[in-house]
Amino acid sequence: MFKLYNTLTRAKDEFAPIAAPAVGLYTCGPTVYNFAHIGNLRTYVFEDVLRRALARFGFKVKHVMNITDVGHLTSDADTGEDKMELGARREGKTAWDIARFYTEAFTADCRRLNVLAPDVVCKATDHIPEMIALVRRLEEKGVTYRLADGIYFDTSKFPAYGAMARLDIDGLEAGARVEMVEGKRNPTDFALWKFSPKDKQRQMEWDAPWGRGFPGWHIECSAMSMKHLGEQIDIHCGAVDHIAVHHTNEIAQSEAATGKSPWVRWWVHGEFLVLDKGKMAKSGGGFITLDAVIKKGFDPLAYRYFLLQAHYRSQLMFSWEGLEAAANGYRNLRETVLGLKEQLPVASSQLPVGKPATDNCQLTTGNYGERFDDAVADDLNMPRALGTLWEALKDGGLSAAAKLALVAHAEPVLGLGLDRVEAEKPAEVPADVAELAERRAAARKSKDFAAADVLRKELAAKGYEVEDRPGGKWLVKRK
Ligand code: AMP
Ligand code: ZN
């Protein structure tokens, strides 16, 4: 039984999709005006684990993710500048170039974190006709109105507005949650279509029945999810910051347009990664990218390991010390797997990659395989799942073959690259460090120990130490 916390019910409910085993999964994607920070990436890793868990429990997932390349304003209140145009101005490029560049950077980050590519990645700018059609549908239902700067959704016409977020609408009326756009009927009303400013040429704008302009941010997720997954879907994800506004507005416009409720059966939200100094925000100055993590010598999968050590619904505090500790844990895990493989004859040391070991796992791994799955099925309790894996790896009564069978069973859910633990060289050593280590090994081989020592010191100056292994092999480690 797979239990998954649902923000709609505020409970861990047994997961059951509309048409099992098919599962429609929609995850809100990045706004591509800057690099993703490691907080954003926490959300994509949690969604990846969810997708992998669904596959483990026999579901056939269709995963759709959008790319927000237009319309996300710098404020939630339908005021402020379009983030894409802001990025373009900052970098002296076109908004289209900015979108392309940061979409590629994001895709590369996901690849390095072993985040599986969605089945459909859809750009907002490729779905303008679908968004216009959806706004027209809302217009026909009489839930929209026109202001000087755009077409708005009248939230008072949708009685269930704010139910998922449990918003106190009356409280909002009294105090203002948001700065008001002039003429808005209710503080919670939001833009469906914004008109281009009269005094300025926008880079991204389209003709629409109401006037030239661009879509409001929320409408893209409703339009694209309906196009690619149908009018009702099983799971929709994002981080907790989306509950009160973005997802609340998505629900209102989707259910008002189709008359079908619930539009989404499971709302699954991940908690934030925070810094000791507070929130990590893309628009504020200092944020940490995955590149910065790699430049400090960390394997990106050590960051994934760091994330898996916390439950996705708990806030996680990032610190370099915490990451260092996780990197040590991850290195230990890889070395343990490698050590186990070295104990087995070559042919049997290959991990059966991706093989769902559920059936025969019990035979070879005691009840560890089952316990691992139970932890995953308990609302993705990955800290417990990792704990179970470690317990098994340290169990003196379990054979090397049984331990490796468990690793093979766990890897398709963990995505930690444990199926690729082959070389004695860690995967993400910078090229210059690897070269120094190669030269040192060559110097040792030709018995030029003085040169080898100089190279060892050069490695140390870069923060690495080198360990010799049998057969002239070596292992470089961060100090
Ligand atoms: P954005 O590209 O700004 O639209 O954000 C991409 C995703 O990252 C969204 O699902 C956000 O909710 C999520 N997000 C933003 N900040 C954080 C954070 N500090 N920790 C975890 N997720 C975040
Ligand atoms: Zn969205």
Side-chain angles (χ1 to χ4, degrees), residues 26-29 66 68 217-218 220-222 236-237 242 246-247 250:
Y26 185 92
T27 58
C28 285
N66 64 305
T68 300
W217 171 38
H218 317 295
E220 66 176 86
C221 288
S222 296
H236 192 131
C237 297
H242 281 344
H246 182 50
H247 289 166
E250 284 185 26

Side-chain angles (χ1 to χ4, degrees), residues 383-405:
R384 207 170 92 209
L386 272 181
T388 303
L389 177 62
W390 270 117
E391 196 186 322
L393 292 175
K394 288 180 182 155
D395 183 343
L398 209 60
S399 71
K403 289 177 183 176
L404 282 175

Side-chain angles (χ1 to χ4, degrees), residues 31-41 90-91 101-102 105 109 273-275 277-293 296 303 318 320:
T31 307
V32 283
Y33 74 114
N34 203 341
F35 289 107
H37 58 57
I38 56 173
N40 301 128
L41 294 171
R90 185 187 62 221
E91 298 185 21
F101 177 81
Y102 288 113
D109 282 352
L273 179 83
V274 292
L275 294 174
K277 289 184 203 68
K279 205 179 142 189
M280 187 175 307
K282 239 191 220 183
S283 39
F287 62 84
I288 302 168
T289 60
L290 191 61
D291 264 338
V293 167
K296 284 206 182 231
Y303 180 58
F318 178 82
W320 291 106

Side-chain angles (χ1 to χ4, degrees), residues 36-197:
H37 58 57
I38 56 173
N40 301 128
L41 294 171
R42 179 185 189 195
T43 296
Y44 300 107
V45 169
F46 124 68
E47 292 162 349
D48 182 60
V49 171
L50 169 59
R51 175 176 163 178
R52 288 165 176 271
L54 287 163
R56 161 56 42 92
F57 299 123
F59 295 105
K60 304 273 174 271
V61 182
K62 179 172 177 190
H63 178 193
V64 177
M65 184 189 72
N66 64 305
I67 300 280
T68 300
D69 55 358
V70 67
H72 193 173
L73 302 184
T74 48
S75 105
D76 272 343
D78 299 315
T79 57
E81 197 175 353
D82 187 327
K83 291 182 176 182
M84 295 307 304
E85 307 242 340
L86 184 74
R89 231 193 24 250
R90 185 187 62 221
E91 298 185 21
K93 297 184 187 155
T94 69
W96 299 96
D97 285 341
I98 291 288
R100 199 174 314 113
F101 177 81
Y102 288 113
T103 303
E104 277 167 21
F106 171 74
T107 309
D109 282 352
C110 288
R111 208 179 308 118
R112 291 187 290 193
L113 285 169
N114 252 353
V115 168
L116 301 171
D119 300 289
V120 178
V121 177
C122 41
K123 293 194 282 184
T125 51
D126 284 340
H127 291 75
I128 302 296
E130 286 85 351
M131 291 189 236
I132 292 176
L134 190 56
V135 178
R136 289 207 70 126
R137 225 166 139 184
L138 289 167
E139 213 177 9
E140 281 157 21
K141 301 267 176 175
V143 295
T144 66
Y145 61 94
R146 184 185 181 104
L147 289 182
D149 70 338
I151 303 297
Y152 282 77
F153 184 97
D154 184 342
T155 52
S156 66
K157 301 255 172 74
F158 183 69
Y161 185 83
M164 189 258 296
R166 314 217 164 150
L167 288 186
D168 171 11
I169 306 290
D170 294 337
L172 290 175
E173 303 279 356
R177 164 177 67 154
V178 291
E179 46 181 305
M180 285 283 270
V181 170
E182 204 169 311
K184 256 195 197 182
R185 294 181 186 166
N186 312 285
T188 47
D189 292 356
F190 56 92
L192 297 164
W193 186 261
K194 293 271 286 182
F195 302 134
S196 293

Side-chain angles (χ1 to χ4, degrees), residues 380-444:
L380 307 178
N381 193 332
M382 299 315 289
R384 207 170 92 209
L386 272 181
T388 303
L389 177 62
W390 270 117
E391 196 186 322
L393 292 175
K394 288 180 182 155
D395 183 343
L398 209 60
S399 71
K403 289 177 183 176
L404 282 175
L406 180 69
V407 170
H409 177 73
E411 171 57 23
V413 182
L414 298 174
L416 285 171
L418 301 178
D419 50 345
R420 301 194 299 258
V421 182
E422 295 293 346
E424 294 208 311
K425 212 169 22 160
E428 287 288 336
V429 176
D432 55 336
V433 172
E435 198 205 307
L436 283 175
E438 293 281 8
R439 281 171 46 204
R440 180 182 165 276
R444 276 175 66 85

